[in-house]
C-alpha cells in the first residue's frame, strides 16, 4: 500500500495503469489499509521490547576473520544473487517451500532438501570465517 501510494505520488497515471499498484491504491492513502498498521505495530512492538530488555543496538554480526566492510559486501552480494535467482525462477524459496510443501509437491520437497544440503555444505566450507 505504501509503495503504491508513493508510485501514485510520482506518477498517478502509471500507478493506476499498473495492475499491481492499482489494487493497493485505497482512496489514495495507505492509512486505509489494515496491513500498514499491522507492520507498523509489529515493528514498534519489537523495537520497544528490544529497548526495554537492553538489546537495542546497531551491530554487524560477523566472525573474527572478516572486516565490517567485507561482511557487508558478502551480504550484499548474497542478496543480489538471491534476487537474481528469484527473478529467474519467477518466485522465491519461501514460496516454493510454503506453497509447494503445503500441498506435498514432490518437486518442492526435493528442492527444499537441496537447499538445506547446499546450506550445510557451504556452512562447512565457510565455517572458518565464523570461528
Amino acid at each position: 500500500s505504501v509503495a503504491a501510494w508513493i508510485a501514485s505520488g510520482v506518477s498517478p497515471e502509471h500507478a493506476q495503469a499498473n495492475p499491481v499498484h492499482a489494487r493497493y491504491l485505497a482512496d489514495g492513502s495507505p492509512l486505509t489499509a489494515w496491513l500498514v498498521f499491522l507492520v507498523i505495530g509489529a515493528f514498534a512492538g519489537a523495537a520497544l521490547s528490544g529497548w526495554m530488555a537492553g538489546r537495542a543496538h546497531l551491530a554487524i554480526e560477523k566472525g573474527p576473520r572478516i572486516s565490517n566492510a567485507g561482511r557487508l559486501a558478502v551480504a550484499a552480494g548474497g542478496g543480489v544473487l538471491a534476487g537474481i535467482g528469484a527473478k529467474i525462477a519467477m518466485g522465491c524459496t519461501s514460496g516454493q517451500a510454503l506453497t509447494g510443501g503445503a500441498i506435498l509437491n514432490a518437486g518442492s520437497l526435493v528442492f527444499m532438501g537441496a537447499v538445506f544440503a547446499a546450506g550445510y555444505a557451504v556452512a562447512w566450507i565457510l565455517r572458518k570465517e565464523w570461528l
Side-chain angles (χ1 to χ4, degrees):
S1 295
V2 174
W5 176 65
I6 292 170
S8 173
V10 174
S11 175
E13 300 83 22
H14 172 74
Q16 288 294 336
N18 185 321
V20 174
H21 291 309
R23 73 180 204 200
Y24 288 104
L25 290 174
D27 299 327
S29 173
L31 298 180
T32 58
W34 65 273
L35 279 174
V36 172
F37 291 101
L38 177 78
V39 171
I40 291 170
F43 180 78
L48 181 64
S49 171
W51 176 72
M52 290 176 69
R55 295 176 284 136
H57 62 278
L58 295 177
I60 297 173
E61 299 290 334
K62 64 181 186 63
R65 297 187 180 134
I66 190 168
S67 68
N68 286 342
R71 174 66 175 115
L72 293 175
V74 169
V80 168
L81 286 176
I84 292 170
K87 181 66 175 171
I88 291 170
M90 295 188 297
C92 66
T93 55
S94 300
Q96 175 78 291
L98 295 174
T99 304
I103 60 172
L104 299 177
N105 185 336
S108 294
L109 298 175
V110 170
F111 172 77
M112 285 314 301
V115 167
F116 280 104
Y120 279 112
V122 170
W124 187 81
I125 293 167
L126 298 176
R127 71 186 183 284
K128 69 181 183 315
E129 297 295 333
W130 291 92
L131 300 176

